[in-house]
Amino acid sequence: MRLFSLDERLLTCAGLVRDGARLADVGSDHAYLPVWLLKQGRISFAVASDIGEKPLETGRQTAEKYKARNIEFRLGAGLDTIREDDNITDIVIAGMGGEVIADILSESELAKNPGLNFILQPMTRSDELVGFLYENGFEIKKQTALRSKGRSYTVMSVRYSGNKVVTSSLFRIVGKLDMSDAESVRYIGKKIKDLENKSLGDDSARELLNELRLMINEKN
Ligand SMILES: C[S@@+](CC[C@H](N)C(=O)[O-])C[C@H]1O[C@@H](n2cnc3c(N)ncnc32)[C@H](O)[C@@H]1O
């Protein structure tokens, strides 16, 4: 069976997984990401977990269809499905709201392991997630923006450092995006539109919009 291609969003997540990793894909659903990485020989082992039995079954079918080995499917919430002897090195949490990802990280002591490489891809509320990360001792190592199927996304690799930092509203939106990259500019352009569409009666919100517009104009 010829291996499928990942879309740009999952391909960007895959690019931040370290070679040889033992991966946990939390909220795996179809399990495209771990199956693809295993078949490419990029990772040695994967736990694909999901809170729902139905998505987990879909993932099992993907693994069976493409004859992926070294993958275990586990039913459960967040990081609860990861066992110590799995020796997981990298954890992907993709395709969920930023607040759900923040909840998953806050509910587990396991997340406070500085050796773990988290790859996070929030579908919404990325600013809430960035604020949560820094206030709780996590830091973004790398962040990129991409466009897939007409929609802008951001993906970040994150680790726990223990340093708690209060972030500005501007940082929570821009994070560690490289603003010399056209996709980052496009992503921030979309954030500006979202902010404009909300009722922004207060001065601080207007100031934030101006700072973001200035940033975009400086890069055009
Ligand atoms: C939209 S799918 C994303 C699938 C895949 N990660 C991707 O990015 O394409 C989100 C999945 O996360 C699962 N999910 C939601 N909350 C979860 C939680 N707290 N723990 C584990 N899985 C969760 C859902 O059941 C669903 O299958």
Side-chain angles (χ1 to χ4, degrees):
M1 175 76 59
R2 199 166 156 247
L3 188 61
F4 54 88
S5 301
L6 289 182
D7 65 17
E8 199 57 31
R9 180 180 63 85
L10 287 177
L11 197 62
T12 306
C13 293
L16 291 171
V17 174
R18 296 175 293 189
D19 281 343
R22 292 177 67 84
L23 178 77
D25 185 27
V26 174
S28 190
D29 196 354
H30 38 65
Y32 289 146
L33 184 70
V35 167
W36 188 86
L37 284 165
L38 281 165
K39 296 304 286 184
Q40 297 281 343
R42 287 265 327 276
I43 59 171
S44 56
F45 170 77
V47 170
S49 72
D50 204 286
I51 203 166
E53 181 55 66
K54 218 172 153 197
L56 206 64
E57 186 47 37
T58 310
R60 277 194 199 99
Q61 286 167 10
T62 306
E64 257 171 49
K65 184 172 175 184
Y66 294 97
K67 298 187 174 20
R69 309 268 175 260
N70 294 332
I71 182 164
E72 291 189 16
F73 288 88
R74 295 186 193 152
L75 184 67
L79 308 187
D80 289 354
T81 51
I82 300 171
R83 302 177 194 145
E84 210 175 318
D85 64 358
D86 290 329
N87 293 315
I88 293 300
T89 61
D90 293 44
I91 300 178
V92 173
I93 315 176
M96 294 179 214
E99 76 287 11
V100 179
I101 297 176
D103 283 349
I104 288 175
L105 293 176
S106 69
E107 282 159 9
S108 173
E109 278 302 303
L110 184 133
K112 293 179 182 167
N113 171 353
L116 282 172
N117 178 35
F118 286 96
I119 296 96
L120 309 178
Q121 186 272 303
M123 298 298 276
T124 52
R125 302 197 189 178
S126 59
D127 52 334
E128 263 182 48
L129 176 61
V130 171
F132 163 84
L133 289 172
Y134 278 84
E135 277 158 33
N136 289 279
F138 294 87
E139 65 178 11
I140 300 173
K141 294 185 289 177
K142 193 173 177 199
Q143 186 174 359
T144 55
L146 68 123
R147 198 168 166 78
S148 184
K149 298 171 190 160
R151 194 173 162 180
S152 279
Y153 299 94
T154 188
V155 182
M156 52 191 92
S157 76
V158 165
R159 71 167 200 118
Y160 184 76
S161 70
N163 299 326
K164 297 184 179 181
V165 178
V166 176
T167 50
S168 67
S169 308
L170 185 67
F171 183 81
R172 289 196 286 277
I173 291 179
V174 180
K176 288 274 185 80
L177 285 172
D178 172 4
M179 293 309 294
S180 65
D181 176 56
E183 285 308 330
S184 297
V185 172
R186 204 203 296 251
Y187 178 80
I188 295 302
K190 176 71 177 52
K191 289 281 173 194
I192 289 174
K193 283 219 168 64
D194 291 348
L195 274 174
E196 283 169 344
N197 289 338
K198 286 181 190 157
S199 52
L200 296 168
D202 61 286
D203 288 347
S204 61
R206 257 195 304 275
E207 205 177 301
L208 174 61
L209 263 175
N210 285 339
E211 282 180 285
L212 287 167
R213 285 191 188 116
L214 202 63
M215 185 176 271
I216 294 282
N217 288 336
E218 276 171 3
K219 301 295 166 194
N220 284 342

